[in-house]
Amino acid sequence: MKAYAEIAVTTNYSFLRGASHPWEFAGMAAKLRLAAIGIADRNTLAGIVRAYAAVQVIKENRPRLLVGARLVFVDGTPDILAYPTDRTAYGRLCRLLSAGKLRAPKGECHLALYDLLKWQEGLLLVVMAPRPEQKERVDDSPRNFWNKNLAREDEEVGELPEEIHANAPQVSSEETQSLLEKLLGAAPGRLWLGVSMPHKCDDRRRLREWQRVARAAAVPLLATNDVLYHSPERRELQDVVTCIREHVTLNEAGRLLEANAEQHLKSPDDMAELFNETPDAIAETIRFAGRISFSLDQLKYNYPDEPIPKGKTAQEHLEEITWQGAASRYGGVIPDKLRATLEKELALIARMDIAPYFLTVHDIVSYARSQNILCQGRGSAANSAVCYVLGITAVDPMQIDLLFERFVSEERKEPPDIDVDFEHERREEVIQHIYKRYGHHNAALTATVICYRPRSAIRETGKVFGLTEDVTANLASGVWGSWGSELKEGQVRQGRLDPFNRVIKRAVEAANLLITFPRHLSQHVGGFVLTRDRLDEIVPVGPATMEDRHFIEWDKDDIDTLRMMKVDVLALGMLTCIRKAFDLIRIHKGESWDLATVKREDPRVYDMLQKADAIGVFQVESRAQMSMLPRLQPREFYDLVIEVAIVRPGPIQGGMVHPYLQRRKEHRESKGTKKFEYSSPLLDPQAKDELIPVLDKTMGVPLFQEQAMKLAIVAAKFTPDEANGLRRAMATFHHVGTINNFKEKFVGRMVDRGYEREFAERCFKQIEGFGSYGFPESHAASFAHLVYISAWIKKFHPDAFACALLNSQPMGFYAPAEIVRDAREHEVEVRHVDVNFSDWDNTLEPYEGGLALRLGFRQVSGFREDWAKTLLAARANGYRAVSEVARRVRLPKRAFIILAEADSFQSISMDRREILWAVRRIADDDALPLFAAQYVEEQSEEEIAPLPLMPLSEHVLADYQMLRLSLRAHLMFFLRDLFRSEGVWDCAEISGAKDSTPASCAGIVLVRQMPGDSGVVFITLSDEAGIANVVVWPKLVETFRREIMGGRLLLVEGRVQRSPEGVVHLVAECIFDRSHELEHLSEDVTEAPSFRAQAARHRHPRNVRTVPKSRDFH
Amino acid sequence: MVVAKVDNALRLSAVERKATALGLAIGQPLANARATLPALKVVAANEPDDLKLLTRIADWCDRFTPHVAFDGPRGLLLDVTGAAHLFGGEQALLNRIRESLKAQGFAVRGAMAGTAVAARAFARYRDGAVIAPGEEAETIAPLPVAALNLDHITTHAFRRAGLKTVGQVASRKRTEMTARFGAGMVAILDQALGHGTQPLSPRLPRALYWKEQNFAEPIATEEVIRATLKSLAAALASVLEKRGEGARRLEAVFFRADGALRRIAIEMGVPTREPAVIERLFREKLETLADPLDPGFGFDLIRLSASRVERAQGEVADFDVSINEKADISFLVDRLATRFGSQRILAFQPNDTHIPEAAWLAVPAQYAQPTKLMWKKIREPGDAPRRPLRLFTRLEPVTLLATASGAQHLRWRKVQHAVAHCEGPERIAMEWWRHETPPPERDYFRVEDGEGRRYWLYRAGVPPQWFLHGIFA
């Protein structure tokens, strides 16, 4: 057998060019026994880490991975493959690509030949001989060949001169020869001419010609197959991605597509056969690979040394500030237990040499604190005692007994993971600080690889196959939720399309292949990579859409693979809300609180949560969480940790929720005396109690991701390597779907050791569930702290809480109407928007009964913040008449109309209609300013007849249209008589009903939810008496789909289901869409009923939105 | 259900009655409608065709009055002043229009009133009513404000103010309304109440490209018809010339004295405005009509209109012979196509594909466009051609034999040819998306025999079969 190395591989990270994943190439290369495989994507290194990770796990015939890039030029130079020989040359390649990216728009890279000449040192260069079809494609317009005299040494990046841009390379053999000679001068001994055999009739003649050129230039010939896909069947997908890239359909694409399926990885024998006239070109590939000593493991990551004072090591500095922090946290007396924990952790940190990481996070957090920005860390290392005393998190590790070693794996030798959440409105300040402090050369965001998902995949392939937009939209709409790994036949059928229609079938097949293909790189929301050495010598860096933002080409999985350090600087709306609430409490009540000082474990807070009184409370306000609260009966902090973690796909899919709740109930009823049985390996009696240390905190039921991992090691006897692989598969579940490889191993071994199969399978299902939304205990602990804090504020400062919540919108689960209603139910007085009292934000105003919540102009749809400022600036002692407002404040007429529509002149006049009628007289904005004032003056006298009185129902509707809420009444109030006459109950009656009472209930739809793949739909209805939770079983969903999805006001007939804990659901049996009743509210008696149908068709668009839109979660 | 793209989202633009009953409405995003009714059948909106259809209805209405105007995307306004008596009175006329349109399968609403605004309002809310002059105010009063067809903002403002019917609006002072909504709104209100008039802007189907001649005495002879067409063509030409345009499609409409109507259209491959050419094309068309023009009692009106025009260069500077040649060819194509039908005069056009036998298409010569992808030279200077001069429509199976000496022989039509040179393969895979199971890929070879004859062969399938696909010379 011959030896051969494929040097020219284009993966799908050359977006929309290659048609196979890097790991597919790696696997195929091993199968074909290639000596080495060179990944050279177009001006990018984005895919190489994936290839690297894939090659690492190959057991047999592992090919060498050569890291390179295919340099594609804008100046007409033919493509050149560049492979660094060593680490420094790799750094130069990164600099070269960064330079090209920084001068180009996002996602592009503009290179000219002189860039290469500048950075070529140490790079092996393969000039790719132009393939014949490239000549067929170019148009006849004039072109310029690569510009030979434009080398500029002065600047690092620099703009390319306009005249340099040329068409696609169109190079004759003479020109190629002169290019080779020119390059040879710069890179002697590091230059090759790469040729391929495209099966174009005259391949051999062409090869002889290139042989002559190479010989004349004294450059060796190198055989390649210019590979685009790993196996010939991918030609179809290759054609599809070409069409997507060129925005054509397959029928139009013509010769844009390759003529045949030859550009796949070929075996050494096949290649030798193709190049039998020039065997040297084959042998040269091995010599070429032998010249390269660079591999990705040589990328030594180094921590930035920014925060460490001179003359100290990072470890010494960390220890010093840790003990200082501990002393100040505990008022100088460090408890023994904490001291012991800190010592243990510091020793571990020293062994792993990760002290700089903690210092960096501490540095960022200290900055945020100095700016009064709330933040909290979470992640594997965040719940360590060190992080607690450093102020990175406010969760006391003593309190919940989280063990640091459980999260930081010593054998993996990788940096711990700390994410820090900041107030979402102020995160940008933190990011700017990081750039300022570490510099643009050493700090950049990580990338997010945007991959095709079912919807985008079917949309684009549909276009390529010439399906109409309607058909593809139909196919795409069959996909509930945006994640998923496959379009199934059933979904095609659900879209009422024939899954066996040839075109649709092909399109769906292609789409299924395309799912998980990378589409482009985007910046990660907040993952920062910080280094001491220049970052752009480790990985190419490119510009992001935002000014002055840069991001690297690798995403967080790649960073993990290479064990580099990353800090996630994330935004969390709830922190903004909490800070605003703390501010309000300080200003109005003179109490000063922060995340760490709020009183812990106040039973009144838990009492409130047990009653599911949790609207607005972080994480536990969703319907599922609210019905969990009474069952779980949280009593202490760790219960909240469980509460946060239990309503997640992992435990739900693993069927762990009910067993846990059952045990908890028994535990409660036995007053904590009951001992539970733990699953155990029956065939291994010595290890009978092996799961007790793993599962004791959760009464023998695995709930957390860490427990599932531990199960793999303890019960399924995974080796650290295997466990590591499982962890990786879990993290990258979306990308690769390799998790199924572990199923057999996991379940099989547990069963072999005598565990019940059912238990083993549930555990694995849970792991799969974590794959889609992993939620480890350490995250849950950090979140639980915010649950407690927000519940505490809600309990003791409901006024400030509602106000802060409204001012932090959009966030959370509930619309302003529900927040306001909830506040009023907690005896907060809420007051309407008013020109004389409101600010842009919602505010608190003191009155004899305490603090009232004054709605702000931000609640008024269509009103603008700058208008509010203008209005406030001129307010002085208040406005006394509409005409006065118009005279004193320079606002567009539209602003006044909106104010009047929102009824915000109540302190001036009680009648909304008169105000509305009056503001319409205000001069139009386009009136000449000179006359405008005069006009207003002149207008002030007008004798008009009174307008008809506005009925209350219309007031309420108008309130909803302008504010999405009404303080006057609930819409259902006006329909109550009607529904009462039909025997319909209100929500309060439903909540109080006995189990299995037949009942019906009508209300406005607040939320519709279809969690997971269960097919169950949850609907929350609201009326003047409260809210009711409706459950619709899957069988009924199809029958009443139209009502469920389209209705704004639903009448549900069914049966009350009341759990022993008092959680009440209405299980639907029949659903009616009664939305049309809402139209009656706006109609006056003067309008004869016969017009109604007609009039409805011509209604004002605003009228259509008579009711706030429900929030739908799929 | 019809959908159209509005603001980058597919929205329902027309809804059938049954769907309305199920709660669908115009303007609703398709995605929402689909969520409620997954089985929804939709077609894409085609506004140009809708307009065409409305134009045809308007044409048809020409028989009742010459004053027909478009009213929005789906309405027509007819000024029947002085015409109603011809059809048995106003109510009879209205009924006849409504009934005949209904009989043609349209959903119709119609009303008659003294002003256009009032008629429009009644058509929507009082289908079939004829409102006597002076009764508008009283009749319109109970209708909702929307009947005035004012802009959304104004309508909303009235409704919010509690003025929900036209009558309530009318009861307010005019100055009060002028100050708020401008004089235009008051004028519309007045017209709705039957005061004042607003002239219709009659439908001028591209007035500039449209000439007609009335005859006091109906004409019937061929010469007069031809002369009329020529003079109309000349009149049209001067208009087209001013605008630097030429006609691609012309239509002559013959109105017979008894009300029947006949339309004859001709098409040109290049924009034309030369009266002689136009006259000649019409003559050829008239001569070859399968159903000849029947003048009956004679035509009282002939109209010539250009229904498709394009920019055309002036003919003044046409000294370039090749351009004139092109013009000659295109005139020939037009004449032949007029006579034999455009589907029968074909021209070749390149087709972008790798499949050799599909690399060209025969298309009607009048529609052959110079494509941006012209026959491209795939051939290097000094290189042999890659595609044969002659491509066989029917493949000829051949056998390749190797003699004992190792020389290759090609057996074609029972004759053996010794292979002197052979080059290849050029591998071409079939277009997989066109076939259930795509045919095997082909390996093409260029082969020269001892006498210098060159063949284009390919090999395909397992076991490989050989075919002769063409010969080079």
Side-chain angles (χ1 to χ4, degrees), chain A residues 443-483:
Chain A
L445 289 167
T446 55
T448 304
V449 181
I450 308 291
C451 291
Y452 277 99
R453 297 177 185 194
R455 276 183 206 190
S456 51
I458 189 62
R459 231 174 240 141
E460 304 235 319
T461 48
K463 253 186 247 164
V464 167
F465 279 87
L467 299 175
T468 61
E469 200 163 332
D470 174 48
V471 173
T472 47
N474 199 344
L475 278 169
S477 71
V479 188
W480 275 80
S482 55
W483 278 115

Side-chain angles (χ1 to χ4, degrees), chain A residues 621-634:
Chain A
E621 59 169 348
S622 80
R623 245 192 45 93
Q625 292 277 13
M626 288 239 263
S627 62
M628 186 62 69
L629 283 167
R631 290 184 193 162
L632 201 70
Q633 297 272 311

